[in-house]
Amino acid sequence: MNRPLVGISTYLVDSARWGVWELPAALLPAGYARMVREAGGLAVLLPPDAPELAAATVARLDAVVVAGGPDVDPARYGAGRDPRTGPPAPERDAWESALIGAALESGTPLLGVCRGMQLLNVVCGGTLTQHLDGHGGAPGVFGSHPVTPVPGTRYASLVPETCEVPAYHHQAVDRIGTGLVASAHAADGTVEAVELPGDHWVLGVQWHPEMGEDFRVVRGLVEAAGA
């Protein structure tokens, strides 16, 4: 049986080290490919490229995952920069916004992870809260907290119970983008998942499923990709 081809966006960094090398690199934590493989898909990496190539790229894929990473530039949702907002990543913002737009236009199944969920919301016209506390561990350490699904949503059909999720974020959805609905919340009311109601499989989660062992959300994406 052919495994669905799932494209995953990546970091683009000025310098990374491996072996004797220190060079600019496109990179991604290995957990992303692992979760796609465990869910029955075949992972390919999508490093930042020219946004006008996004539609042709998505046309060759069965599903898209927009990975976690740096803060979205607040200029993309018409806000000034909070001093606690991280430095911009313009190449990623442009490329991943185009990937999201192409997936929405073509009906390709789409999963946004952490930053990917936030960027999905921004592409749909929503805004972000630029800082909140209590949704991660110390720098470089994932925390965890419970997330509760909204009954009747796609997310609730995949994960019907409240569960602990691995999390590391200091920004979150503020105004929800056009067409999206909240499908999970943290105990403090923070929106932890958004989705597009209807037949098109579009879901964003504020946590990091690639850092855990619960791949039900990713399995849902891969099943939709193979349908």
Side-chain angles (χ1 to χ4, degrees):
M1 184 178 71
N2 289 333
R3 287 176 167 243
L5 191 63
V6 181
I8 312 171
S9 67
T10 76
Y11 288 79
L12 184 66
V13 297
D14 293 333
S15 180
R17 263 196 127 137
W18 66 99
V20 299
W21 305 106
E22 184 170 354
L23 293 169
L27 55 83
L28 188 71
Y32 284 95
R34 179 177 72 96
M35 75 177 183
V36 168
R37 183 178 65 249
E38 291 292 329
L42 180 65
V44 294
L45 303 189
L46 306 176
D49 208 328
E52 59 268 24
L53 299 178
T57 301
V58 170
R60 298 186 180 195
L61 301 171
D62 298 308
V64 174
V65 175
V66 178
D71 294 339
V72 176
D73 188 344
R76 288 195 167 261
Y77 48 94
R81 178 174 293 277
D82 186 291
R84 295 165 294 186
T85 293
E91 296 92 349
R92 275 197 73 176
D93 283 355
W95 172 241
E96 292 175 348
S97 294
L99 289 175
I100 290 168
L104 292 174
E105 178 70 24
S106 63
T108 303
L110 171 65
L111 173 64
V113 173
C114 197
R115 161 195 161 85
M117 166 179 149
Q118 295 169 3
L119 193 56
L120 167 63
N121 190 61
V122 169
V123 168
C124 291
T127 62
L128 303 179
T129 296
Q130 291 190 53
H131 187 76
L132 77 168
D133 295 312
H135 286 257
V141 178
F142 282 87
S144 68
H145 61 76
V147 165
T148 299
V150 174
T153 60
R154 174 176 287 111
Y155 174 68
S157 73
L158 298 167
V159 185
E161 78 282 6
T162 297
C163 61
E164 289 281 325
V165 297
Y168 189 85
H169 66 99
H170 79 114
Q171 298 196 334
V173 165
D174 182 13
R175 186 182 72 242
I176 295 178
T178 302
L180 299 174
V181 298
S183 51
H185 295 91
D188 64 2
T190 299
V191 175
E192 289 285 334
V194 296
E195 63 184 61
L196 193 65
D199 293 335
H200 185 187
W201 204 104
V202 176
L203 177 63
V205 297
Q206 188 57 80
W207 62 92
H208 284 266
E210 82 283 0
M211 295 304 300
E213 299 297 330
D214 186 346
F215 299 140
R216 284 177 287 179
V217 165
V218 188
R219 213 164 280 123
L221 173 77
V222 172
E223 287 175 0

